[in-house]
Amino acid sequence: MLRYERDMDQLRALALWITLYKRDPPISSLPQPTEYVFELIKFYSQDFASEIVDNGHISSDALGRFHSSLFSVNNILGITQEDITRASEQQRYRNSGFWEMRRVIGQFGDVAEAAIKDRVTHIITAAVSGCIIGEYLGLIMSKKFQHPLPVDHMVFSRSGIQPVNGYLPENLSLSGEHILIADDAVMETYTSRVMIAKIKEMNPQAIISLMTIDIDPDTKKSGYLDQFAHVYTFDE
């Protein structure tokens, strides 16, 4: 778990970099640096999810490829170990993502089948802990049910650990009307509120559903979940 979380902290640092980069100075070797970083987050989230689908875990070879790739991009972007540590400290919950997902991994087929039946058209994950969860669900939909869906990742600017604004790739268009938010935990409503606001900004008519592994009991009782068309959770 500790090794995996250290590796995910590097993706968290990339996600944080996107929200801080103001395009000045320009980066000559990367004409579209924020889009490149979004593509990196997408690539490795999908790569790790594919490893889990095929092998049940993330292999040392996959982590090695990840490290090799990030060494050069960190130098280009000026991401330091201090940046990686800061990104780790700003996440709301520890030990999240795949580590928590393992407890319920056998139920993802049921969730995928339900989401297809409910005509979900696009998966948006809460980066970074929700990235692999959303990509894994997308792969199950595609491989098991031959029903591929786009999966994209929203990153967040933060005030301390509080997400305050959501960012998606600049030229992204939402596919269809039924958007599924994928996150590892909804212990409070800060992250999902930011995600809903961003999705509604892009498509005010969007239907929004939620998939998460853990939900805080107080959130369940509050009525907050009533705004979602569907809430997909897991039995333990």
Side-chain angles (χ1 to χ4, degrees):
M1 180 185 70
L2 293 176
R3 180 183 180 187
Y4 168 78
E5 283 297 319
R6 285 197 298 268
D7 290 308
M8 292 307 291
D9 284 343
Q10 297 201 49
L11 281 182
R12 293 182 179 107
L14 284 172
L16 185 61
W17 180 89
I18 289 173
T19 71
L20 297 174
Y21 179 58
K22 304 302 181 186
R23 304 182 185 275
D24 186 22
I27 301 174
S28 58
S29 57
L30 290 177
Q32 295 180 305
T34 57
E35 299 309 297
Y36 178 78
V37 173
F38 269 118
E39 289 171 5
L40 270 183
I41 293 171
K42 168 73 174 177
F43 178 84
Y44 283 106
S45 298
Q46 192 172 57
D47 189 39
F48 289 172
S50 181
E51 286 274 323
I52 298 166
V53 169
D54 294 339
N55 307 314
H57 67 279
I58 300 171
S59 69
S60 296
D61 287 345
L63 291 175
R65 294 192 300 268
F66 176 70
H67 282 302
S68 297
S69 177
L70 286 194
F71 179 79
S72 58
V73 76
N74 283 353
N75 285 335
I76 292 171
L77 301 180
I79 293 175
T80 65
Q81 183 57 50
E82 289 75 15
D83 296 323
I84 295 170
T85 300
R86 184 182 309 111
S88 175
E89 292 172 347
Q90 286 188 321
Q91 64 173 317
R92 294 195 63 83
Y93 305 107
R94 301 286 176 177
N95 306 335
S96 51
F98 171 55
W99 188 255
E100 300 299 327
M101 164 185 173
R102 294 171 65 200
R103 298 182 281 117
V104 296
I105 200 164
Q107 299 178 48
F108 270 77
D110 294 336
V111 172
E113 190 171 15
I116 292 168
K117 179 181 178 182
D118 296 330
R119 299 185 179 182
V120 167
T121 57
H122 202 145
I123 300 170
I124 302 291
T125 82
V128 166
S129 295
C131 288
I132 296 176
I133 293 170
E135 290 288 357
Y136 184 85
L137 180 67
L139 286 174
I140 295 297
M141 286 180 163
S142 179
K143 290 189 173 185
K144 184 174 181 179
F145 297 101
Q146 292 74 53
H147 190 87
L149 287 185
V151 181
D152 289 284
H153 308 290
M154 188 180 297
V155 303
F156 306 94
S157 58
R158 296 179 183 270
S159 176
I161 66 170
Q162 177 100 344
V164 294
N165 198 14
Y167 296 76
L168 288 165
E170 187 171 343
N171 296 318
L172 176 71
S173 296
L174 295 175
S175 176
E177 298 288 327
H178 192 174
I179 313 303
L180 177 62
I181 291 175
D183 200 359
D184 62 321
V186 180
M187 298 301 180
E188 299 175 42
T189 60
Y190 299 116
T191 303
S192 56
R193 287 182 190 276
V194 171
M195 295 185 76
I196 291 167
K198 181 64 176 179
I199 291 168
K200 287 293 189 179
E201 175 188 315
M202 297 174 70
N203 180 1
Q205 306 306 315
I207 301 165
I208 302 177
S209 291
L210 173 70
M211 180 193 75
T212 187
I213 295 171
D214 291 317
I215 303 178
D216 178 73
D218 290 339
T219 301
K220 286 183 178 179
K221 297 175 184 175
S222 69
Y224 177 77
L225 300 177
D226 295 344
Q227 67 186 299
F228 296 105
H230 303 277
V231 177
Y232 306 103
T233 56
F234 300 83
D235 297 324
E236 296 191 54

